[in-house]
Amino acid sequence: AKVGGLADMVGGLTQDLLAKGHTVEVYLPMYHSMRYDLIAGLEKVYDELWVPHFGQWVSEEVYAGKIGKVPCYFFPCGDRFHRDSIYGYDDDLYRFVHFNRAVLEFMTRKEIRPDIIHCHDWQMGLLPVLLFEHFIQWGFDRSRVVFTIHNIEQQGACWYGSELLGSVGLDCRNYFSFERLRDERQPNMINLMKAGIVFSNFVTTVSPTYCRDICTPEGGHGLDHILNHHHAKLGGVLNGLDYDYWNPETDSHLALNYSADTFKQKYANKNALRARTSLPDEYRPIISCVTRLVPQKGLDLIRHAVFAVLEAGGQFVLLGESPDEKVNNDFRALGAKLIDNPNVYIEIGYNEEFSRQIYAGADMFFMPSLFEPCGLSQLIALRYGAVPLVRKTGGLADTIFDAEYSDRGFPNANGFLFNDPDPSGVDSVIKRAFKCWFFQGEAFRELAYHGMLCDYSWRRSGKDYENIYNHVKVK
Ligand code: ADP
Ligand code: GLC
């Protein structure tokens, strides 16, 4: 069930923890739009799970199966998740708090008492509240919660708090204070991200720079105050990438597999990408972008870059999708406007197989985010030998080091950075990268080669999470 990097993060972390010898299970809603073809042995494992809902008890089912080696439990929660998309519905808050409660009911019945429950984003923010305020009496007194913030812009705040909390059996009056769930910017609201921050035993975010950013009034989106208050249990852990799942040496969707040592074989993928997108076979770099088309990703800057790349003599490939159909139509219109230019290809949609062919075929990867908690796309690009051109913010600043200006210096550097989120920032980064590609071919290949050798696997980050779990665990 993937919308963006959260799926990559949870997928990679759980495989790594399993490999390190821990017992790991993943609990997620049974989204209708999941890749059911990737779940092995899916079966119903519980028939009558009774979950409170507005004072009544409703009976629900639970399913289980494996993704890779990781056992997963799927909660249909009635038919609450039987929708075309994963998020974006008016009742999202109700759906997710219900799921939080259902998970704890299931653990109670099955006598599952984890040392650590690791919750992600506002969707799971109420779980530590339910756990420590209610379920603790059912033998959960040794369970601890780690809460990870992937994107602080989305907080799950609403004004119908008493109804929402009431739907899962909590009395809002006990939680409606600024030390607890009450929203500081909109004081008539409750905030589920804040619930996760206040009630869990440790809070992480997905890169050290983003961790500092969200503790400031500019980056905190109203939660900086509470984060600073809880700073002793806050830390930034850079996401890793699952290097088995994203591996150009074994990726079955590529025209030809390759590694850093057989870098030349990457060019077969450039040809294949051109064939797939009808770009002419000429002496030009391909610069690509695979992204959710949301404001965070710098939509105007992407649009500007299309023209800047064409002007500079490159080819542009964009694969993207927005939850907002208007944005999709804007980019479709851009494609239609440039229909006579053979050097640009824009596809609106979500397609993981094609994304792999883009990472493999492109010379460069463009990511002009206005903010970026971590970013996994630039790490995939590095792994596939596409040189990242990124804005210096959040996790991008923690992972990409400029070929010319970083204190690491060439050849340890692995990309090109720009500071200002405006057209001149984009122009400058494209100009520098293109100059390198056109006039210092050997240096450019070195850069891509060294990018492929960078280690952003879970090896390091998995260890960091292990340390955090051990730190909060009841000894
Ligand atoms: P975010 O989670 O904010 O979207 P990340 O860089 O962390 O950003 O992760 C994005 C992930 O989603 C990457 O694996 C990227 O390849 C994938 N992705 C984004 N948009 C698309 C798309 N349109 N088609 C296929 N994969 C996509
Ligand atoms: C969010 C962030 C992204 C991060 C991902 C996984 O979607 O936008 O930067 O990489 O979560 O943590």
Side-chain angles (χ1 to χ4, degrees):
K2 176 165 166 179
V3 174
L6 195 151
D8 288 314
M9 188 277 188
V10 173
L13 174 61
T14 49
Q15 301 275 2
D16 183 74
L17 292 170
L18 209 61
K20 286 185 163 76
H22 300 285
T23 305
V24 188
E25 291 169 350
V26 175
Y27 293 69
L28 72 164
M30 194 152 173
Y31 299 111
H32 178 57
S33 59
M34 284 192 308
R35 289 283 302 265
Y36 284 85
D37 57 319
L38 301 179
I39 308 170
L42 183 66
E43 58 171 346
K44 196 198 286 180
V45 290
Y46 211 95
D47 217 357
E48 285 192 13
L49 181 71
W50 292 95
V51 184
H53 181 62
F54 287 111
Q56 313 273 327
W57 288 82
V58 290
S59 167
E60 294 173 0
E61 298 169 343
V62 182
Y63 291 76
K66 277 194 173 176
I67 299 173
K69 292 184 182 146
V70 182
C72 300
Y73 290 104
F74 303 96
F75 292 73
C77 295
D79 59 0
R80 283 179 188 76
F81 293 96
H82 197 84
R83 314 250 173 109
D84 289 343
S85 301
I86 287 184
Y87 311 122
Y89 299 96
D90 289 345
D91 59 348
D92 276 0
L93 277 80
Y94 287 103
R95 298 196 299 149
F96 282 101
V97 298
H98 187 90
F99 168 63
N100 284 211
R101 174 97 200 200
V103 165
L104 289 170
E105 293 292 348
F106 178 71
M107 286 181 177
T108 307
R109 301 285 167 271
K110 294 286 284 182
E111 300 190 354
I112 298 169
R113 300 291 184 272
D115 295 312
I116 305 292
I117 306 181
H118 190 158
C119 297
H120 299 267
D121 272 350
W122 71 258
Q123 286 83 354
M124 293 313 292
L126 206 61
L127 187 139
V129 184
L130 288 163
L131 179 73
F132 294 124
E133 297 284 294
H134 181 76
F135 282 83
I136 194 130
Q137 59 187 311
W138 307 115
F140 284 90
D141 46 319
R142 294 177 67 83
S143 295
R144 295 292 176 264
V145 177
V146 174
F147 181 72
T148 294
I149 300 171
H150 293 262
N151 190 338
I152 206 151
E153 210 180 27
Q154 314 292 331
Q155 300 183 357
C158 72
W159 50 265
Y160 43 87
S162 54
E163 200 182 289
L164 182 74
L165 299 192
S167 74
V168 289
L170 292 175
D171 183 346
C172 189
R173 284 171 301 185
N174 297 334
Y175 303 99
F176 199 60
S177 66
F178 289 118
E179 295 76 50
R180 296 189 141 196
L181 273 59
R182 192 167 179 185
D183 194 282
E184 281 169 49
R185 288 188 301 185
Q186 301 157 103
N188 59 344
M189 292 196 174
I190 63 150
N191 183 316
L192 295 178
M193 181 75 100
K194 185 168 176 177
I197 295 168
V198 171
F199 279 84
S200 51
N201 303 93
F202 205 91
V203 181
T204 70
T205 184
V206 289
S207 70
T209 297
Y210 190 61
C211 188
R212 286 190 292 277
D213 289 350
I214 62 174
C215 289
T216 64
E218 302 75 48
H221 292 267
L223 289 174
D224 43 298
H225 179 247
I226 198 77
L227 284 167
N228 282 307
H229 182 75
H230 288 282
H231 72 97
K233 60 168 190 181
L234 175 67
V237 179
L238 193 66
N239 282 338
L241 183 71
D242 186 333
Y243 270 31
D244 293 329
Y245 191 72
W246 296 102
N247 184 356
E249 247 183 307
T250 54
D251 192 327
S252 61
H253 300 287
L254 306 194
L256 191 61
N257 290 116
Y258 61 100
S259 66
D261 293 335
T262 53
F263 191 80
K264 275 203 177 120
Q265 289 171 208
K266 179 174 162 69
Y267 294 107
N269 292 288
K270 185 168 180 178
N271 292 336
L273 180 59
R274 282 182 164 152
R276 159 81 158 78
T277 55
S278 305
L279 295 178
D281 187 11
E282 292 169 4
Y283 181 65
R284 297 172 189 271
I286 299 182
I287 177 162
S288 64
C289 201
V290 176
T291 185
R292 294 184 296 122
L293 291 171
V294 293
Q296 166 192 349
K297 303 295 177 182
L299 298 180
D300 290 342
L301 303 180
I302 294 174
R303 209 171 285 124
H304 177 80
V306 172
F307 293 97
V309 164
L310 294 176
E311 170 91 24
Q315 298 180 325
F316 201 102
V317 174
L318 167 67
L319 171 65
E321 190 175 46
S322 172
D324 178 351
E325 213 28 52
K326 186 179 168 315
V327 175
N328 289 329
N329 286 334
D330 285 352
F331 276 92
R332 284 191 190 104
L334 178 65
K337 184 174 162 185
L338 294 168
I339 191 88
D340 292 332
N341 193 321
N343 289 313
V344 55
Y345 180 84
I346 296 176
E347 183 166 316
I348 302 303
Y350 181 89
N351 184 338
E352 181 168 315
E353 282 74 22
F354 184 34
S355 79
R356 291 171 178 274
Q357 292 155 1
I358 295 177
Y359 289 114
D363 300 287
M364 304 175 203
F365 188 80
F366 183 57
M367 205 166 164
S369 309
L370 303 183
F371 70 93
E372 196 59 73
C374 179
L376 287 159
S377 314
Q378 82 281 13
L379 303 183
I380 303 172
L382 284 177
R383 179 100 170 120
Y384 281 65
V387 174
L389 275 56
V390 305
R391 175 147 183 272
K392 192 171 183 184
T393 178
L396 298 173
D398 290 337
T399 53
I400 304 303
F401 301 94
D402 195 278
E404 296 172 306
Y405 298 123
S406 110
D407 50 11
R408 288 188 162 202
F410 194 70
N412 292 321
N414 56 10
F416 294 91
L417 292 163
F418 68 104
N419 271 315
D420 299 334
D422 57 29
S424 61
V426 172
D427 291 343
S428 75
V429 83
I430 289 174
K431 195 168 155 206
R432 289 196 298 122
F434 274 44
K435 194 171 145 212
C436 185
W437 191 90
F438 276 109
F439 303 112
Q440 298 160 304
E442 197 44 46
F444 190 88
R445 277 187 293 280
E446 278 269 293
L447 194 59
Y449 171 79
H450 283 285
M452 290 189 79
L453 298 183
C454 291
D455 183 2
Y456 289 113
S457 66
W458 273 103
R459 212 169 39 87
R460 268 185 305 178
S461 310
K463 185 84 199 127
D464 290 341
Y465 275 110
E466 216 176 25
N467 290 340
I468 291 169
Y469 300 149
N470 281 327
H471 171 67
V472 297
K473 203 179 106 181
V474 177
K475 313 290 183 301

